[in-house]
Amino acid sequence: MSNRLRDHGLQSERLLWPTKGPSHFEEELGVEEIEQALGITTLEKAVRWAQTRSMWPDTFGLACCAIEMMSIVGARYDIARFGMEAFRSSPRQADLLIVSGRVAHKMAAPIRQIYDQMLEPKWVIAMGACASSGGMFNNYAILQGVDRILPVDVYVPFCPPRPEALMEGIIRLHEAHLAGVPPAYERRQVAT
Ligand code: SF4
């Protein structure tokens, strides 16, 4: 891994000077330490940080899992710590779709429409066994996993997942975004 700041996207006249050797800071510290010590970063990283601190979920619940999802805004779990307590009633103002519950075939088209109305970047969490795989409902009425109609970023297991499990999924999503992992729709192109 290079220890030159310009190789990590930091651009200034001095750093882009091709014949200029490493600066004093670059020689003494690694890039990560410089970022921490001096409070500098790249615009891309700053934008990603801001996006993870304002990832507003869509107001959307399907079944029993939704009750667990609702509790994350309460004082006990306090999702406001991540700037996420603002569940939006319009998909145009939401970044995160938490599919909480079993998806009936009749609901597939409305869910897809809601997802399509969300602006990019956007993320999807499949919450619970039913949303992830159909769960115990292996029958003609239930979609056997929401990833058949949407690109899913994070799967949260269990029936139902406790709010802590959903929070864990959200934190994993934040970590992936901060690390530069693109949303699922970019990695998978279109949902099958
Ligand atoms: S995973 Fe369990 S709690 Fe969640 S919707 Fe299915 S049956 Fe209900």
Side-chain angles (χ1 to χ4, degrees), residues 63-65 101-102 128-130 136-137 158-161:
C64 7
C65 274
R102 52 191 172 270
C130 291
M136 70 183 90
F137 301 99
F158 310 126
C159 170

Side-chain angles (χ1 to χ4, degrees), residues 125-129 132 154-158 161-162 165-170:
I125 291 180
M127 181 186 180
S132 300
V154 172
Y155 296 85
V156 179
F158 310 126
R162 282 189 53 79
L166 177 58
M167 303 272 288
E168 175 80 15
I170 289 170

Side-chain angles (χ1 to χ4, degrees), residues 59-87:
T59 305
F60 185 76
L62 283 169
C64 7
C65 274
I67 305 299
E68 304 290 328
M69 178 189 69
M70 289 173 210
S71 66
I72 65 172
V73 297
R76 185 179 177 92
Y77 300 104
D78 195 17
I79 197 72
R81 288 175 292 158
F82 305 102
M84 294 180 64
E85 77 279 16
F87 273 68

Side-chain angles (χ1 to χ4, degrees), residues 19-32:
T19 56
K20 177 83 178 164
S23 69
H24 180 69
F25 284 126
E26 288 172 328
E27 282 176 355
E28 295 219 334
L29 299 170
V31 170
E32 298 300 326

